[in-house]
Amino acid sequence: MSTDDRSAEIRKRLSKARLGGPSPSPRPGTEPPASDPSARRPATGAFESRSPRPSRPTNSDQIRGELHTLLIDHIEKKGLTEADEDELARAVTEFTDAALTRPDLALNEDERRRLSRDLLQEALGTGPLAPLMADPAVTDILVNGPDAVFVERFGRLEKTRLRFRNDAHLLRIIQRIVAQVGRRIDEASPMVDARLPDGSRLNATIPPISIDGPTLSIRRFGRRLRRAELMNARMMSEGMELFLDAAVKARRNVLIAGGTGTGKSTFLSALAESIPNNERIVTIEDAAELSLQQEHVVRMETRPPNVEGRGEITTRQLVINSLRMRPDRIIIGEVRGGEALDMLQAMNTGHDGSMTTIHANSPRDALSRVETAVLLAGVDLPSRAIREQIVSALQIIVHLRRYEDGVRRVESIAEVLDLEGETPQIQEIFRFERSGRAGRRVEGQFQAQGVVPRCLREIKARGIPLTAKLFQGGGPAPSRRIGGA
């Protein structure tokens, strides 16, 4: 069916939803009593429900869908599919003004305003997801299908009442979003991972790789929490904060570990606040998420291959390139592949004080994950040589965890020691010890483990005041009993 034929068919269907249509003749025996006010009022067509509850929302949704299809045809006819946002907005406004002034549409003024706003969002923005994108409490938006839209608020997943009309509607919104950032998604390239203009990370898949229809995941990154805010949120104790601040200033290399959604990037940004303002920092990320306040910061971002499979820029390439940029510190958003080898070499050759994150379930698991990532570099090195590089390069491991009450906490801070035989040795300095639950809240204490870290000597040698009492059982670390909000 051609575009004109399709538009004519939609207009015909819209005409069925007009007011003032012929009243259906009542069937014998169904006339209402004379005392019923409805008996003196003619039927008003499809937009008037015969039941006590009106059906305006359903018809409004139908009109919205039909008008949106006409709007897409209007944009295609005018050749505005590749137009800039201002020109497209003018065309959409003209269309909606003309369409919604028709007196035969059974919509009140409030419904007309809502419909005009929704059409603008459908054509220019994120469609039904617009209110979620504007909600600062929403950290994740997960769309499993037209009728399954979930969000994460305050660490907890919940299903919303938002919905798309069908798979085609969801697909159009996905294509619109990814087109705004210069990407595409179709059957030849059925998945996309991109960064939105506001810094949020988007992942979308469509058939054939997603069997049940298009899916969309948006991890939102608003304003990064500062360290003081993390302290107010009781993510760590004062003793932990004092030690990590001193370790960063003393140029100790730090590895932040944790599972997905534990706040690794947020914690990395907060920890980087301790870096002096006169040092040159180079950041390397898959999607630019870090927010550093220092003046001398160079930000670099990887690039995926284009549809021809060319032009890819990997994290490892950026790490190698950063070594030629005279950095004082290198901050890598996350290591997961061969770039781990180049990172370790950089940390061992004058770029101390660098930091990165990795997915792991414990400090010891983090070391194993780093070793596995080094092997992905394709260099044939014996395990002992890799582990010697690891224990020489890394000094501090911070492990984060999101507990079942939704609160993210520093679960453990450990120091990396030497190899004992073939095994890297670590000692735990601080730990969160849970004691139980109060309702849905997890309760417990941040406790010092009574171990004085070896790096304390280096910290004091640099003139940074830090007392050994901090690491005793009576220090600040266990002095606060905490619970989830």
Side-chain angles (χ1 to χ4, degrees), residues 79-251:
L80 298 177
T81 52
E82 301 297 331
D84 60 66
E85 190 163 317
D86 292 336
E87 186 177 0
L88 195 56
R90 285 193 296 270
V92 172
T93 302
E94 292 173 2
F95 174 87
T96 53
D97 289 345
L100 297 180
T101 53
R102 290 167 51 185
D104 56 348
L105 288 182
L107 299 175
N108 58 39
E109 284 302 315
D110 183 58
E111 288 173 331
R112 289 171 186 266
R113 283 194 299 268
R114 271 204 316 269
L115 187 53
S116 177
R117 181 193 62 207
D118 291 346
L119 285 174
L120 280 168
Q121 284 292 342
E122 297 273 352
L124 301 177
T126 54
L129 301 180
L132 300 181
M133 295 295 290
D135 186 351
V138 173
T139 54
D140 283 277
I141 301 172
L142 309 171
V143 182
N144 298 343
D147 302 322
V149 181
F150 296 82
V151 297
E152 180 183 288
R153 287 189 179 95
F154 308 110
R156 289 180 172 270
L157 282 176
E158 57 187 63
K159 189 173 183 179
T160 71
R161 296 182 179 181
L162 298 177
R163 56 182 297 173
F164 296 82
R165 289 189 297 277
N166 48 42
D167 284 347
H169 181 206
L170 174 56
L171 178 59
R172 280 199 302 269
I173 295 299
I174 292 174
Q175 291 174 331
R176 174 66 189 167
I177 295 173
V178 300
Q180 291 177 343
V181 293
R183 304 291 295 278
R184 58 179 291 186
I185 184 168
D186 51 33
E187 289 188 1
S189 180
M191 59 183 178
V192 65
D193 189 77
R195 177 170 58 89
L196 301 182
D198 66 351
S200 301
R201 289 184 63 176
L202 173 144
N203 182 274
T205 63
I206 64 173
I209 65 170
S210 54
I211 299 172
D212 298 324
T215 69
L216 177 65
S217 304
I218 299 177
R219 170 163 289 183
R220 300 188 59 223
F221 297 104
R223 183 184 64 85
R224 282 291 182 192
L225 297 178
R226 309 285 292 172
R227 188 187 305 175
E229 293 172 292
L230 296 183
M231 294 294 297
N232 291 335
R234 298 177 290 189
M235 190 174 186
M236 58 182 168
S237 68
E238 294 96 332
M240 290 174 167
E241 191 270 338
L242 287 172
F243 171 67
L244 291 176
D245 177 72
V248 172
K249 289 178 179 176
R251 302 182 67 87

Side-chain angles (χ1 to χ4, degrees), residues 48-95:
E48 181 81 5
S49 173
R50 297 181 181 177
S51 63
R53 300 184 64 182
S55 60
R56 283 177 182 260
T58 302
N59 290 318
S60 178
D61 291 342
Q62 178 186 357
I63 292 175
R64 182 185 294 108
E66 305 287 10
L67 286 179
H68 183 249
T69 304
L70 285 175
L71 174 59
I72 297 301
D73 292 340
H74 176 74
I75 292 173
E76 291 176 351
K77 282 183 178 180
K78 290 207 166 200
L80 298 177
T81 52
E82 301 297 331
D84 60 66
E85 190 163 317
D86 292 336
E87 186 177 0
L88 195 56
R90 285 193 296 270
V92 172
T93 302
E94 292 173 2
F95 174 87

Side-chain angles (χ1 to χ4, degrees), residues 254-260 262 264-265 268 332-337 339-340 343 355-363 365-374 394 397-400:
V254 180
L255 176 64
I256 300 171
T260 300
T262 54
K264 296 187 296 297
S265 297
L268 180 59
I332 304 175
E334 181 182 350
V335 293
R336 58 169 67 92
E339 66 273 5
M343 177 197 70
M355 294 182 280
T356 188
T357 74
I358 195 168
H359 278 76
N361 295 322
S362 68
D365 182 47
L367 295 180
S368 300
R369 293 295 302 272
V370 172
E371 182 178 353
T372 301
V374 170
L394 299 175
I397 301 176
V398 182
H399 182 248
L400 310 179

Side-chain angles (χ1 to χ4, degrees), residues 288-350:
E289 303 170 11
L290 298 177
S291 177
L292 274 61
Q293 305 301 313
Q294 288 84 351
E295 291 182 338
H296 209 163
V297 178
V298 178
R299 304 169 69 203
M300 295 195 292
E301 186 179 51
T302 62
R303 185 176 71 185
N306 59 21
V307 292
E308 288 83 18
R310 301 175 181 176
E312 181 181 17
I313 304 296
T314 66
T315 303
R316 187 176 188 188
Q317 290 173 306
L318 294 180
V319 172
I320 294 172
N321 183 78
S322 69
L323 299 177
R324 308 185 182 102
M325 301 174 66
R326 197 253 174 228
D328 289 309
R329 302 185 193 231
I330 301 173
I331 298 180
I332 304 175
E334 181 182 350
V335 293
R336 58 169 67 92
E339 66 273 5
L341 175 60
D342 302 284
M343 177 197 70
L344 294 177
Q345 290 177 333
M347 290 177 171
N348 279 320
T349 54

Side-chain angles (χ1 to χ4, degrees), residues 266-444:
T266 299
F267 195 83
L268 180 59
S269 291
L271 205 57
E273 294 177 26
S274 300
I275 300 176
N277 200 42
N278 61 348
E279 295 188 12
R280 178 175 170 86
I281 308 168
V282 177
T283 68
I284 300 168
E285 302 175 82
D286 280 336
E289 303 170 11
L290 298 177
S291 177
L292 274 61
Q293 305 301 313
Q294 288 84 351
E295 291 182 338
H296 209 163
V297 178
V298 178
R299 304 169 69 203
M300 295 195 292
E301 186 179 51
T302 62
R303 185 176 71 185
N306 59 21
V307 292
E308 288 83 18
R310 301 175 181 176
E312 181 181 17
I313 304 296
T314 66
T315 303
R316 187 176 188 188
Q317 290 173 306
L318 294 180
V319 172
I320 294 172
N321 183 78
S322 69
L323 299 177
R324 308 185 182 102
M325 301 174 66
R326 197 253 174 228
D328 289 309
R329 302 185 193 231
I330 301 173
I331 298 180
I332 304 175
E334 181 182 350
V335 293
R336 58 169 67 92
E339 66 273 5
L341 175 60
D342 302 284
M343 177 197 70
L344 294 177
Q345 290 177 333
M347 290 177 171
N348 279 320
T349 54
H351 301 94
D352 46 348
S354 297
M355 294 182 280
T356 188
T357 74
I358 195 168
H359 278 76
N361 295 322
S362 68
R364 184 164 296 282
D365 182 47
L367 295 180
S368 300
R369 293 295 302 272
V370 172
E371 182 178 353
T372 301
V374 170
L375 293 173
L376 295 176
V379 179
D380 189 15
L381 292 174
S383 293
R384 182 174 180 84
I386 296 174
R387 293 172 185 175
E388 286 176 348
Q389 286 278 326
I390 292 173
V391 299
S392 175
L394 299 175
Q395 284 90 44
I396 304 295
I397 301 176
V398 182
H399 182 248
L400 310 179
R401 179 179 172 184
R402 181 172 65 175
Y403 286 78
E404 56 267 28
D405 59 357
V407 179
R408 297 166 173 86
R409 301 182 179 91
V410 177
E411 186 178 54
S412 175
I413 299 177
E415 182 180 32
V416 182
L417 304 176
D418 301 318
L419 279 181
E420 185 174 307
E422 297 289 333
T423 305
Q425 298 300 304
I426 61 175
Q427 62 179 7
E428 197 168 45
I429 303 170
F430 296 101
R431 182 172 182 82
F432 174 74
E433 295 286 354
R434 60 187 300 170
S435 58
R437 300 191 62 162
R440 73 178 186 87
R441 298 181 306 167
V442 173
E443 292 194 338

